[in-house]
């Protein structure tokens, strides 16, 4: 057994003060579900769920909606690695069997345009949450779940890319030096949750994949180019949410 494996097993055995668990009156989750990162999309997802007759449960850090029979669910918002992991831990404790996170990212590569979708494969972690989970080796998105997402995104007319992402806790410290370095290394985008979510999913043994809508261009040689207030971007966000909502509802 390697030193990494020994450290991981020791970390798994170590007792913690707080364990995520199901409380009285909370639902049993079954099928796949959506973890919404951004408040606006979480609000829109809640409207879709209510219109479909899903039941709302209070939850932290965001509301939880469950389809009749528990075969699909959605939760959020959970912006940033610590809140996203708190949400994921609770969802796993409630029985979630597969998780799709939906968020936004900045593109580091010129061929990945605003309004495109990025399916992260692996992550460069510059966030502080995942280090607390003893997982040996690099973490990655679940291959089969990502494959299914590629199919439904193509059917819905989205331009989807795959590649590694840079996960950061400090969006105001994306320096031009780092942006240029990571772009040359082939990092596709920058966001705030995937590395931590993938680490916890590996630790808990559940499949997880992420869908990231490109909301801005991040370059070392030009000014920041955000697009998330543009009407066409907001419409693209609504289309993407609708496609994923339909997917979890029929999966």
């Amino acid at each position: 057994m390697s030193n990494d494996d020994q450290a991981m097993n020791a970390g798994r055995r170590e007792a913690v003060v707080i364990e995520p668990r199901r409380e009285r009156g909370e639902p049993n989750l079954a099928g796949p579900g959506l973890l919404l990162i951004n408040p606006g999309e979480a609000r829109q997802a809640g409207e879709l769920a209510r219109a479909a007759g899903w039941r709302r449960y209070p939850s932290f850090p965001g509301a939880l909606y469950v389809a009749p029979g528990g075969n699909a669910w959605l939760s959020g918002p959970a912006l940033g690695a610590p809140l996203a992991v708190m949400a994921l831990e609770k969802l796993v404790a409630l029985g979630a069997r597969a998780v799709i996170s939906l968020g936004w990212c900045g593109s580091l590569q010129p061929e990945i345009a605003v309004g495109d979708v990025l399916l992260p494969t692996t992550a460069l972690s510059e966030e502080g949450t995942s280090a607390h989970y003893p997982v040996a080796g690099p973490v990655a998105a679940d291959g089969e779940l990502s494959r299914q997402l590629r199919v439904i995104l193509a059917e819905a007319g989205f331009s989807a890319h795959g590649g590694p992402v840079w996960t950061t806790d400090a969006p105001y410290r994306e320096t031009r030096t780092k942006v240029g370095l990571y772009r040359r290394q082939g990092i596709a985008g920058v966001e705030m949750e995937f590395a931590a979510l993938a680490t916890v999913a590996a630790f808990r043994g559940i499949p997880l994949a992420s869908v990231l809508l490109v909301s801005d261009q991040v370059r070392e040689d030009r000014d920041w180019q955000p697009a998330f207030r543009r009407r066409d971007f907001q419409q693209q966000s609504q289309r993407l949410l609708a496609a994923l909502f339909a997917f979890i509802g029929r999966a």
Side-chain angles (χ1 to χ4, degrees):
M1 180 180 293
S2 70
N3 290 337
D4 284 348
D5 289 337
Q6 290 174 349
M8 180 179 68
N9 290 337
R12 286 186 182 277
R13 290 192 301 268
E14 188 173 357
V16 296
V17 176
I18 305 170
E19 284 281 4
R21 63 183 183 181
R22 178 185 292 107
E23 303 289 348
R24 178 177 296 181
E26 292 184 328
N28 291 295
L29 304 181
L34 277 177
L35 175 57
L36 289 306
I37 300 301
N38 296 309
E41 286 173 331
R43 184 168 54 252
Q44 294 167 8
E47 293 171 358
L48 291 174
R50 288 191 295 273
W54 292 21
R55 182 175 174 181
R56 184 184 188 279
Y57 292 86
S59 186
F60 183 85
L64 172 64
Y65 291 87
V66 182
N71 62 319
W73 53 268
L74 61 86
S75 182
L79 183 64
L83 283 183
V85 162
M86 288 182 71
L88 179 59
E89 285 274 36
K90 184 65 175 184
L91 293 167
V92 173
L94 295 178
R97 298 177 185 173
V99 177
I100 301 164
S101 66
L102 173 60
W104 297 351
C105 72
S107 167
L108 271 62
Q109 301 297 334
E111 68 274 15
I112 304 177
V114 166
D116 286 357
V117 171
L118 176 59
L119 299 177
T121 52
T122 58
L124 169 68
S125 173
E126 287 191 353
E127 42 74 35
T129 304
S130 57
H132 296 276
Y133 289 81
V135 174
V139 295
D142 181 75
E144 175 58 22
L145 191 53
S146 295
R147 185 196 66 78
Q148 294 177 35
L149 289 169
R150 279 190 174 275
V151 171
I152 68 108
L153 290 170
E155 291 174 349
F158 287 93
S159 179
H161 308 263
V165 295
W166 164 25
T167 302
T168 179
D169 278 341
Y172 295 117
R173 295 302 300 162
E174 296 167 8
T175 65
R176 294 183 185 273
T177 299
K178 279 187 177 181
V179 169
L181 174 63
Y182 295 158
R183 178 184 57 77
R184 292 189 296 272
Q185 290 178 351
I187 301 294
V190 56
E191 51 78 70
M192 297 178 65
E193 296 84 19
F194 178 70
L197 288 173
T199 298
V200 175
F203 183 79
R204 295 298 181 187
I206 65 160
L208 178 139
S210 183
V211 178
L212 301 172
L213 184 61
V214 178
S215 61
D216 53 295
Q217 298 279 341
V218 182
R219 299 286 188 272
E220 75 275 20
D221 57 353
R222 67 185 71 170
D223 292 337
W224 184 45
Q225 301 176 50
F228 41 78
R229 293 187 180 90
R230 287 180 0 197
R231 184 176 182 85
D232 59 341
F233 175 81
Q234 294 171 358
Q235 291 172 339
Q236 190 79 327
S237 169
Q238 292 169 4
R239 287 185 57 240
L240 179 57
L241 176 58
L244 294 175
F245 184 79
F247 171 68
I248 63 170
R250 69 173 186 258

